[in-house]
Amino acid sequence: MVEIELDGKKVSVPVGSMVMHAADAAGTYIPHFCYHKKLSIAANCRMCLVDVEKAPKPMPACATPVTQGMVVRTKTDRALKAQKSVMEFLLINHPLDCPICDQGGECQLQDLAVGYGGTKSRYEEEKRVVFHKNVGPLISMEEMSRCIHCTRCVRFGQEIAGVMELGMLNRAEHSEITSFVGRTVDSELSGNMIDVCPVGALTSKPFRYNARTWELSRRKSVSPHDSTGANLIVQVKNGKVLRVVPFENEAVNECWIADRDRFSYEAVNSEQRLTAPMLKQNGEWVTVDWNTALAYVADGLKRVKGDFGVSGIGALGSAHSTVEELHLLAKLVRGLGSDNVDHRLRHADFTVGQGVRWLGRSIESLSSLDRAFVVGSFLRKDHPLFAQRLRQAARQGGQVFSLNAVHDDWAMPVQTLTAAPSAWAQVLADVASAVAVERCVSAPVAGSVTAEAKAVAQALLSGQQTAILLGNAAVQHPAASTLLALANWIGAQTGATVGYLLEAANSVGAQLVKAQPQQGGLNAGQMLTQPMKALLLLNVEPTLDAADAAAARAALQGSGLVVALTPFRDAAVDNADVLLPIAPFTETAGAFVNAEGRVQAFHGVAPALGNSRPAWKVLRVLGNMLGLSGFEQTSAEEVRAEALGDVNQLVARLGNDVSVVPQIAVSVPGLQRVADVPIYSTDSLVRRAASLQQTSDAKAPVVGLPRALWQQLGLQAGAKVKVSQGSAAAVLAAREDATLAANVVRVAAGHPDTAGLGAMFGAISVEKA
């Protein structure tokens, strides 16, 4: 530690710290623009000039290393005069448009100009003009004349997002921030550039001119998308959500959020919102009141139970739903005498394991891993903030390995193992065999010590902080339990933690409240491949959320009473008999349990739209109308307490053990499908967020073909192919993908264009269209 004197106070900071870090530790504010605690030091705004004893001139606090005994003063006449001079230079070309600037009221430049700016300018020359740029539907660069060249956005792209999408052209007064060759900004974390911009140069395009910052009320909330559980501040005006920004939580999302966390709020204001209960009568939808709709549902369930028993009654709930909603859904079904309830809609392996599947370590610790082996994950699009943490680990020298059938750009150095999905277990067996050789023990199953397997084994054995992480595709894999069993063996031998990245915001919570069969009931795979007598759907769009879209469509068409609890009227119209309007996360209270087992509760930030109601209240009333006991709760907190019990004891229920003997499947002849779910097709909110649907990540799915197959079919750029699975087929655009395994075809799931196809994993055929 180094001790310095700062404004007369003694401050101790680590060796290598800058004066700015010492000021932060002492609680002393030094004005600045380019400095950001999460970004590298650029020292190009010079606003943080301070007076350092024995220095011939004021020094930038952000770029001046501390030395033992250094004396720093931040409020001397010399320091203040230097800071005011810098402010004068910054304002020479800055436009005088504060009254119409979206940043007004939360602008660093505006705030500091009050304290350090003059009452008038000495410059009378004409101000420069920088022309606007179109960088996509999310970020507005309409007023780049406001830019002060702090380069925060450039450094964010390079260091956090991993993609340098913005840069600075030219020099001196001709300098300007721009994208490369007129490209759009397409990073899944791009919205954070809006937050780090200290002026009004980069603003939110969807929010632009909708409100002034002081008109907005602010409420804390939690992201309903992936399993990070990013903390949010939702901003509301006149009962309408207008903006979402990050709430800083170093242990979860730091100060960042993904673009789907930031912009998916548009869906809650969409024209597709369902605002009143509806019944299908003679093939037509009729709007009814709540009493009529719930009585219809209750009578229908009673009739099905009386006529056919409870074996045909089931419920499917999305793991994007809250703890309270999933708990009452499961309780309702079990109150009727059925155990047919599940949330694992995209799974293909329903082997019962021991414990609640989770990350296996804290989210924060991902940033400090020195070895990570990621199995079956489209990491950057599945879990943008987890990818960001692994990117930081890689920047500090950590090694990242990936096993998948295809390898997207993760914007970090990655050593890849490529294999068809049916061969993933064999590759893990090879890694286990390599570990066994290094450790002089017996391998759990036979495998070959390939060069790639040996590299992974040696890396895991040599690391101090190591993790094996199973991604969405590994969880959804037909042999998911075998993959876990092999990962557990490798982890036990190498000291690596084993964990699931997990698909949805409440995947852990859904397991904790037992929203899956406990006594041999039907699982999601069974309920979506056979007609049910009565089926409750909570936040589910069956043909987009199911592992086998074609089978789900057929099963629902043959089902009896189908009740959809949904915020959107177009969610299940084809198959449902009743639509019950429920509130999205912004209009209800609840809790999500993220990947590390952290319970995060939130309250509604806006009133429910129209006659929609919180789903937990709808389920509670339905339980009462069915005459079931235990449905007398009066608040979400009461439901949560019943559902989770003592939250301090939850960690004891987490575990990734599985008592399965690994079974290595024989190689599968022919072509196999591997399916990712595009980042803006994962749930009902992002599918209806207009701005997200205009991004490059939301473009229509393109079939990825390996090089040999591409050449065999004689395809050219822009060609279309017909892909078939059983009797299901679709004609889609195709492209050559050099990273694909030789016998694998990549076709996205969760998108209307591919909703007619079959299983996410399995045999597939391709022909030229």
Side-chain angles (χ1 to χ4, degrees), residues 253-473:
N253 56 297
E254 301 174 84
C255 56
W256 316 120
I257 55 175
D259 286 353
R260 65 180 167 194
D261 303 327
R262 184 184 301 272
F263 297 108
S264 65
Y265 74 86
E266 287 185 299
V268 307
N269 303 323
S270 78
E271 294 180 355
Q272 291 300 325
R273 281 295 301 274
L274 179 66
T275 58
M278 302 183 81
L279 300 180
K280 188 179 286 184
Q281 296 180 351
N282 301 320
E284 298 292 329
W285 286 107
V286 178
T287 300
V288 297
D289 59 48
W290 271 106
N291 288 336
T292 302
L294 291 176
Y296 183 92
V297 174
D299 291 344
L301 290 172
K302 290 175 182 176
R303 189 163 53 251
V304 168
K305 182 177 178 179
D307 294 347
F308 304 102
V310 297
S311 60
I313 299 175
L316 294 169
S318 166
H320 297 283
S321 304
T322 66
V323 162
E324 295 80 357
E325 293 164 358
L326 290 167
H327 168 69
L328 290 180
L329 180 71
K331 188 173 183 177
L332 181 87
V333 173
R334 294 197 174 101
L336 290 169
S338 172
D339 191 40
N340 306 333
V341 60
D342 210 344
H343 63 95
R344 300 165 295 175
L345 279 80
R346 293 197 179 106
H347 289 213
D349 182 353
F350 297 93
T351 304
V352 178
Q354 293 122 38
V356 169
R357 301 292 181 246
W358 72 301
L359 185 60
R361 56 168 53 241
S362 70
I363 291 173
E364 190 172 14
S365 69
L366 295 177
S367 301
S368 56
L369 289 175
D370 50 20
R371 305 287 186 272
F373 183 22
V374 185
V375 179
S377 177
F378 299 90
L379 181 69
R380 190 172 151 195
K381 304 302 180 182
D382 287 348
H383 300 94
L385 293 174
F386 288 169
Q388 186 274 132
R389 285 198 179 269
L390 288 181
R391 193 171 296 122
Q392 302 316 308
R395 284 173 58 82
Q396 296 164 26
Q399 290 180 273
V400 180
F401 297 84
S402 168
L403 167 58
N404 207 335
V406 62
H407 296 285
D408 296 330
D409 179 13
W410 286 3
M412 68 179 96
V414 180
Q415 299 179 51
T416 59
L417 290 76
T418 307
S422 64
W424 289 357
Q426 183 61 61
V427 174
L428 285 184
D430 295 346
V431 174
S433 295
V435 170
V437 169
E438 296 285 335
R439 296 267 297 152
C440 299
V441 296
S442 298
V445 289
S448 305
V449 183
T450 64
E452 293 89 347
K454 187 173 181 180
V456 175
Q458 290 178 339
L460 292 175
L461 286 165
S462 64
Q464 299 300 311
Q465 292 288 329
T466 58
I468 302 171
L469 302 169
L470 302 174
N472 290 358

Side-chain angles (χ1 to χ4, degrees), residues 67 133 146 179 262 266 301 334 489 539 631 715 729:
T67 57
K133 288 96 178 169
R146 300 169 182 163
S179 61
R262 184 184 301 272
E266 287 185 299
L301 290 172
R334 294 197 174 101
W489 190 91
N539 266 326
F631 285 83
L715 300 174

Side-chain angles (χ1 to χ4, degrees), residues 9-29:
K9 293 191 296 186
K10 300 291 186 183
V11 184
S12 294
V13 289
V15 176
S17 298
M18 301 296 162
V19 171
M20 184 70 83
H21 300 141
D24 287 344
T28 299
Y29 178 72

Side-chain angles (χ1 to χ4, degrees), residues 464-509:
Q464 299 300 311
Q465 292 288 329
T466 58
I468 302 171
L469 302 169
L470 302 174
N472 290 358
V475 176
Q476 297 155 0
H477 196 281
S481 55
T482 290
L483 298 179
L484 176 59
L486 288 166
N488 279 339
W489 190 91
I490 296 168
Q493 295 296 321
T494 61
T497 61
V498 177
Y500 283 108
L501 295 173
L502 297 167
E503 182 178 356
N506 205 25
S507 292
V508 174

Side-chain angles (χ1 to χ4, degrees), residues 75-242:
K75 301 292 190 293
T76 63
D77 289 342
R78 186 163 75 150
L80 292 174
K81 185 176 180 180
Q83 291 165 356
K84 288 182 178 180
S85 296
V86 169
M87 177 59 71
E88 185 175 21
F89 279 118
L90 287 173
L91 294 176
I92 288 173
N93 276 308
H94 200 81
L96 302 174
D97 61 354
C98 292
I100 64 157
C101 178
D102 257 4
Q103 197 83 352
E106 49 189 14
C107 173
Q108 260 183 281
L109 184 68
Q110 195 177 52
D111 292 343
L112 293 180
V114 173
Y116 298 89
T119 56
K120 63 179 181 177
S121 174
R122 292 185 288 171
Y123 293 85
E124 297 178 354
E125 291 78 9
E126 191 172 319
K127 292 179 181 287
R128 78 171 194 153
V129 174
V130 180
F131 290 108
H132 67 271
K133 288 96 178 169
N134 181 12
V135 292
L138 305 181
I139 299 176
S140 173
M141 295 180 74
E142 288 293 316
E143 285 90 14
M144 289 307 292
S145 297
R146 300 169 182 163
C147 177
I148 60 170
H149 308 139
C150 69
T151 69
R152 280 186 179 183
C153 55
V154 178
R155 285 175 285 144
F156 171 84
Q158 288 178 296
E159 299 163 16
I160 306 300
V163 186
M164 186 175 175
E165 295 180 290
L166 296 179
M168 185 181 289
L169 290 181
N170 306 320
R171 301 185 68 184
E173 69 175 20
H174 301 294
S175 299
E176 60 180 280
I177 299 291
T178 186
S179 61
F180 291 101
V181 204
R183 294 180 186 170
T184 56
V185 173
D186 298 323
S187 164
E188 62 283 353
L189 298 173
S190 66
N192 293 291
M193 293 181 183
I194 299 166
D195 294 333
V196 299
C197 182
V199 295
L202 303 181
T203 53
S204 168
K205 191 171 280 188
F207 174 68
R208 187 174 164 81
Y209 294 146
N210 276 336
R212 307 298 302 196
T213 179
W214 53 84
E215 299 174 320
L216 300 168
S217 60
R218 292 161 170 78
R219 301 288 184 272
K220 295 179 185 177
S221 192
V222 179
S223 167
H225 304 299
D226 63 40
S227 60
T228 309
N231 290 198
L232 312 175
I233 295 178
V234 182
Q235 302 184 348
V236 180
K237 178 183 177 182
N238 296 333
K240 184 177 180 180
V241 176
L242 293 183

